[in-house]
């Protein structure tokens, strides 16, 4: 490529933090690097702990502007609403447009809202993403815990890792105040953490029930009206606040590019992390779909894609060979159980206790520290 290459990073996700911190490498190779984000980066690894009172909101977020500008790049506080690949133009929510030569998408994911009548129009519904929503929920619940004589009844939709961690840390938040929320978890599966080792699921279920969590398994919510969830077994469940953790889907923007995509998995990419039909467009993290080796929507993949993305953006500029990203078959996952313990899982192995949570905290703080000091 001749002249200055206009590289635009859309979204301040795990991978783009790494690229932003090392933007000077790209700039020396002849690129102008711009990061577009509507606000702070909120770290998913600490999100439920922040909800449960383990962390302040400031511990769970970073300012991407300072990161990119310190490395010599530019920051635009805005949101991309459309991408014109023919003219290579980004259309922003503010009405501005921004040209690009190379584009990288690290947009994260959104909650795949379930088809529950009345849910999307209700005021007291809290999707697990964006993560900032969980901070707002914590503020709301702490106000109730401190001042209200009657606590709200909470319902969590989803029995996967996110739903379970939310339940654990909502219990933990109320335990900090010496009061007890009425919390129910609703899942269509027959057990919590259906993809986890069965022993881990049984151990966690017993522990959560001892802490007071109510489980509604093998049922779906059909409707939410006037503070009640109607379930498909004919029962009604009182719920003043509904927290939704029914799985993640790709942002709608990736479906509007005219490129191969999957509505849940995201934009199709090659192992080199660019799209098969337009090698000017890269995508990573939850918004990307590595067709030959699909990976779950876990932050660890965005972290591990980061150095490959940086190398390949540089390779595209310098017309040198790409590297390939090969996701590991089994990634370590550690859940914060909200009571000073963690549940670590990798493949068929699992272990629980205080050491698991200590390991998680070490990893999470290490991730954040590297960018605070960058």
């Amino acid at each position: 490529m001749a002249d200055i290459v206009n590289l635009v990073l859309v979204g301040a996700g795990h991978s783009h933090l790494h690229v932003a911190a090392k933007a000077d490498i790209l700039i020396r190779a002849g690129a102008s690097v711009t990061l577009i984000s509507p606000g702070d980066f909120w770290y998913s690894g600490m999100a439920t702990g922040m909800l449960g009172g383990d962390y302040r909101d400031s511990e769970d977020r970073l300012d991407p502007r300072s990161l990119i500008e310190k490395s010599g790049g530019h920051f635009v506080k805005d949101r991309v609403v459309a991408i014109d690949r023919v003219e290579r133009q980004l259309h922003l929510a503010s009405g501005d447009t921004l040209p690009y030569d190379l584009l990288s998408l690290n947009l994260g994911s959104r909650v795949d809202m379930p088809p529950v009548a009345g849910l999307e129009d209700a005021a007291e519904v809290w999707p697990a993403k964006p993560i900032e929503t969980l901070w707002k929920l914590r503020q709301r619940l702490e106000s109730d815990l401190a001042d209200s004589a009657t606590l709200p009844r909470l319902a969590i939709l989803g029995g996967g890792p996110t739903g379970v961690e939310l339940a654990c840390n909502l219990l933990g938040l109320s335990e900090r105040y010496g009061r007890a929320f009425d919390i129910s978890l609703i899942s269509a599966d027959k057990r919590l953490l259906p993809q986890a080792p069965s022993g881990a699921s049984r151990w966690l279920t017993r522990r959560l029930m001892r802490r007071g969590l109510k489980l509604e398994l093998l049922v779906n919510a059909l409707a939410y009206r006037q503070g009640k969830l109607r379930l498909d077994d004919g029962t009604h469940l009182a719920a003043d606040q509904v927290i939704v953790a029914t799985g993640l889907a790709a942002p709608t923007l990736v479906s509007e590019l005219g490129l191969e995509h999957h509505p849940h998995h995201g934009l199709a990419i090659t192992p080199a992390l660019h799209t098969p039909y337009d090698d000017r467009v890269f995508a990573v993290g939850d918004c990307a779909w590595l067709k030959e080796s699909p990976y779950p929507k876990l932050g660890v993949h965005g972290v591990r894609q980061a150095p490959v993305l940086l190398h390949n953006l540089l390779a595209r500029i310098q017309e040198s060979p790409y590297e390939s990203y090969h996701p590991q078959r089994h990634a370590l996952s550690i859940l914060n159980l909200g009571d000073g313990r963690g549940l670590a899982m990798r493949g068929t192995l699992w272990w629980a206790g205080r050491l698991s949570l200590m390991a998680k905290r070490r990893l999470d703080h290490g991730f954040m520290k590297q960018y605070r000091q960058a």
Side-chain angles (χ1 to χ4, degrees), residues 31-358:
S32 170
V33 184
T34 301
L35 174 62
I36 303 175
S37 175
D40 289 345
F41 165 81
W42 289 78
Y43 179 44
S44 58
M46 297 169 70
T48 53
M50 179 263 294
L51 173 64
D54 275 353
Y55 307 114
R56 301 184 303 274
D57 64 311
S58 59
E59 294 178 274
D60 192 32
R61 60 182 177 179
L62 294 166
D63 176 16
R65 178 191 294 274
S66 61
L67 199 63
I68 186 74
E69 290 182 348
K70 188 174 181 180
S71 297
H74 311 284
F75 182 77
V76 176
K77 186 175 182 179
D78 212 328
R79 183 170 55 87
V80 174
V81 295
I83 299 173
D84 184 340
R85 290 192 302 111
V86 175
E87 298 295 330
R88 296 207 294 272
Q89 293 271 352
L90 303 175
H91 296 268
L92 308 182
S94 63
D96 293 337
T97 59
L98 198 66
Y100 72 87
D101 297 310
L102 285 181
L103 181 66
S104 182
L105 306 176
N106 192 189
L107 302 168
S109 53
R110 59 183 174 85
V111 172
D112 189 16
M113 295 295 286
V116 178
L119 195 66
E120 294 208 28
D121 298 326
E124 303 301 335
V125 174
W126 308 82
K129 282 195 170 184
I131 293 170
E132 185 179 359
T133 301
L134 299 182
W135 170 242
K136 294 176 180 177
L137 175 60
R138 173 179 156 184
Q139 291 177 298
R140 172 68 178 271
L141 294 178
E142 283 193 311
S143 177
D144 291 332
L145 285 164
D147 302 325
S148 177
T150 303
L151 295 179
R153 297 159 296 186
L154 311 180
I156 300 164
L157 303 183
T162 301
V164 165
E165 262 200 307
L166 290 171
C168 289
N169 284 277
L170 288 170
L171 287 167
L173 184 66
S174 65
E175 288 161 0
R176 287 174 182 272
Y177 283 80
R179 305 185 68 187
F181 285 127
D182 182 321
I183 308 177
S184 298
L185 186 148
I186 299 98
S187 175
D189 292 296
K190 63 182 179 181
R191 66 180 176 95
L192 296 179
L193 304 176
Q195 305 303 318
S198 58
S201 177
R202 289 194 299 270
W203 178 87
L204 184 61
T205 298
R206 290 193 299 268
R207 186 163 194 86
L208 286 175
M209 292 182 71
R210 285 199 301 268
R211 292 173 68 189
L213 181 68
K214 299 175 182 177
L215 293 179
E216 299 285 347
L217 302 179
L218 289 172
V219 292
N220 289 289
L222 299 179
Y224 180 57
R225 293 188 179 89
Q226 298 179 335
K228 288 186 178 181
L229 282 165
R230 179 163 60 88
L231 308 181
D232 62 4
D233 63 357
T235 62
H236 289 78
L237 182 69
D240 303 303
Q241 311 282 347
V242 179
I243 301 96
V244 186
T246 46
L248 300 173
T252 55
L253 182 64
V254 304
S255 66
E256 300 168 1
L257 296 177
L259 293 168
E260 185 180 7
H261 68 281
H262 186 283
H264 292 285
H265 300 317
L267 188 64
I269 58 170
T270 70
L273 305 180
H274 62 68
T275 66
Y277 308 108
D278 187 344
D279 66 356
R280 292 179 179 272
V281 179
F282 290 74
V284 287
D286 284 2
C287 74
W289 172 34
L290 186 57
K291 288 182 62 179
E292 65 179 50
S293 300
Y295 53 83
K297 296 189 185 304
L298 297 172
V300 64
H301 293 289
V303 172
R304 295 191 175 187
Q305 286 173 329
V308 179
L309 175 64
L310 177 63
H311 177 277
N312 289 352
L313 290 172
L314 186 63
R316 182 64 170 79
I317 294 167
Q318 298 178 329
E319 299 181 349
S320 59
Y322 288 133
E323 289 183 355
S324 294
Y325 174 69
H326 300 289
Q328 62 188 124
R329 184 178 179 186
H330 297 299
L332 174 65
S333 171
I334 308 178
L335 304 185
N336 181 340
L337 303 185
D339 62 354
R341 295 171 175 81
L343 173 62
M345 296 172 287
R346 183 171 184 175
T348 59
L349 303 175
W350 65 279
W351 57 102
R354 297 187 183 279
L355 288 178
S356 294
L357 187 60
M358 287 173 62

